[in-house]
């Protein structure tokens, strides 16, 4: 029973100090540090900037949707499952053939919007491109995925540092240490991360500007590194009727191929290390 009394006594002492300071917690005290770390890390101005960018994107997306025929509004729904995707594909296939320019504009805007603001579901958009356009949909997917990732990069550069440090402190420190060790061959390492599922793409998009990865390296690694996974997804979209779950996309064979391609991209770095040791 001694330990609970000590805890209570510490809490009472902390409350007494808080009252004696006029309701302001001492930032240097353990209690002050704990309370400070539990607060939401984004300031009001950063939050206002985020919603401002979100509003601009949303307005542009809404204006694009206004150009679509009114009869199509009820058929537009972001798919959350393979069955939803099949239904969406059947509903808008005719529209995509009759109004290809408007459809591609709406598709690209939706994809980039989702990628920028980290809205789940872009994998279904990639499958949809394969189902509607075949292998040619690969160019559409790579373009949108790269544009959305770059947009997310700049958004994180604007307001992302406190949020990423709050959500993934350990992972961010690990990523920063790995980047620091591979500055000479940074493009190869970023290609490896993009090709393989070693780190989530969402984390890479948000953390890259925080650990000072140059934008041109980020762009090239994203554009080239997303091609293998995008090809797999688009090809699966061609056989949408046979696909049962998103998990079927990345079986052991597929993951092995991706890691093999990733190892090829990072091979120059490993070769350089070997020469240095010799």
């Amino acid at each position: 029973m001694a330990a609970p009394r000590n805890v209570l006594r510490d809490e009472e002492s902390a409350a007494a100090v808080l009252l004696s300071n006029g309701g302001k917690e001492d930032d240097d005290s353990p209690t002050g540090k704990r309370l400070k770390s539990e607060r939401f890390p984004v300031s009001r101005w950063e939050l206002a900037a985020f919603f401002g960018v979100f509003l601009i994107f949303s307005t542009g997306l809404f204006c694009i949707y206004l150009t679509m025929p009114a009869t199509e509004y009820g058929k537009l729904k972001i798919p959350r499952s393979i069955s939803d995707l099949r239904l969406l594909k059947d509903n808008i296939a005719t529209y995509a053939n009759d109004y290809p320019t408007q459809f591609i504009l709406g598709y690209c805007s939706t994809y980039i919007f989702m990628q920028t603001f980290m809205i789940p579901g872009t994998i279904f958009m990639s499958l949809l491109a394969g189902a509607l356009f075949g292998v040619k949909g690969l160019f559409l997917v790579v373009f949108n995925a790269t544009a959305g990732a770059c947009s997310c990069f700049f958004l994180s550069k604007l307001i992302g540092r406190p949020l990423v440090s709050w959500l993934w402190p350990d992972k961010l420190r690990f990523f920063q240490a790995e980047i620091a060790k591979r500055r000479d061959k940074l493009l190869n390492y970023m290609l490896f991360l993009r090709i393989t599922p070693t780190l989530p793409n969402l984390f890479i998009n948000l953390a890259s500007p925080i650990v000072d990865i140059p934008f041109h390296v980020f762009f090239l690694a994203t554009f080239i590194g997303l091609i293998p996974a995008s090809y797999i997804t688009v090809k699966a979209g061609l056989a949408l009727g046979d696909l049962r779950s998103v998990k079927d996309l990345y079986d052991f064979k597929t993951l092995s191929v991706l890691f093999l391609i990733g190892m090829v991209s990072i091979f120059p770095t490993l070769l350089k290390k070997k020469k240095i040791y010799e």
Side-chain angles (χ1 to χ4, degrees):
M1 295 299 293
R5 288 197 189 99
N6 290 336
V7 172
L8 289 173
R9 193 176 295 115
D10 291 340
E11 295 295 335
E12 291 171 357
S13 299
V17 171
L18 181 61
L19 291 173
S20 64
N21 288 338
K24 295 181 179 179
E25 184 67 71
D26 185 4
D27 290 339
D28 295 329
S29 66
T31 306
K33 290 178 180 178
R34 185 174 71 251
L35 292 175
K36 190 175 182 179
S37 65
E38 291 174 355
R39 295 172 188 160
F40 191 67
V42 180
S43 67
R44 293 180 180 178
W45 291 110
E46 290 169 332
L47 201 59
F50 174 83
F51 280 110
V53 175
F54 184 84
L55 182 62
I56 292 173
F57 271 76
S58 301
T59 303
L61 192 61
F62 179 72
C63 291
I64 290 171
Y65 281 167
L66 287 179
T67 65
M68 302 177 71
T71 55
E72 298 295 326
Y73 286 137
K75 299 179 181 179
L76 296 177
K77 176 186 176 183
I78 297 176
R80 297 299 180 188
S81 65
I82 296 298
S83 57
D84 289 345
L85 183 61
R86 293 194 189 101
L87 184 62
L88 178 64
K89 186 250 182 181
D90 294 337
N91 287 335
I92 64 174
T94 304
Y95 176 79
N97 291 327
D98 294 342
Y99 307 95
T101 303
Q102 291 172 302
F103 174 79
I104 291 176
L105 184 60
Y107 175 89
C108 292
S109 302
T110 304
Y111 198 118
I112 294 172
F113 179 84
M114 294 173 66
Q115 190 90 336
T116 300
F117 295 101
M118 301 151 282
I119 300 173
T122 52
I123 190 169
F124 293 111
M125 299 293 288
S126 300
L127 288 167
L128 181 63
L132 292 175
F133 300 108
V135 180
K136 293 184 293 184
L138 175 64
F139 300 100
L140 200 60
V141 171
V142 173
F143 168 77
N144 286 302
T146 304
C150 292
S151 184
C152 187
F153 176 95
F154 286 114
L155 184 64
S156 180
K157 193 171 186 178
L158 178 65
I159 63 169
R161 182 179 295 273
L163 188 61
V164 176
S165 301
W166 182 59
L167 289 173
W168 304 291
D170 296 333
K171 189 179 291 187
L172 182 61
R173 282 192 292 269
F174 169 79
F175 188 44
Q176 194 164 23
E178 292 298 310
I179 293 298
K181 290 189 295 185
R182 294 172 170 83
R183 284 290 174 186
D184 294 338
K185 294 289 184 180
L186 189 55
L187 178 59
N188 298 87
Y189 180 62
M190 288 297 294
L191 277 171
F192 174 79
L193 293 181
R194 282 302 195 189
I195 294 170
T196 64
T198 306
L199 286 175
N201 281 325
L202 171 61
F203 175 79
I204 296 174
N205 295 342
L206 292 172
S208 291
I210 298 172
V211 298
D212 298 323
I213 293 176
F215 176 70
H216 70 279
V217 173
F218 177 87
F219 173 80
L220 287 174
T222 301
F223 181 77
I224 299 172
L226 291 180
I227 292 176
S230 298
Y231 175 77
I232 292 171
T233 309
V234 169
K235 188 177 179 181
L238 286 169
L240 191 59
D242 300 329
L243 194 64
R244 293 173 296 176
S245 171
V246 175
K247 295 180 181 179
D248 296 340
L249 290 173
Y250 298 101
D251 54 13
F252 178 77
K253 181 180 178 181
T254 302
L255 291 175
S256 299
V257 170
L258 290 177
F259 270 101
L260 180 62
I261 298 172
M263 291 304 297
V264 171
S265 69
I266 207 172
F267 182 74
T269 305
L270 300 176
L271 189 63
K272 183 180 179 181
K273 283 185 177 182
K274 183 178 179 181
K275 288 181 178 180
I276 290 174
Y277 289 136
E278 291 175 350

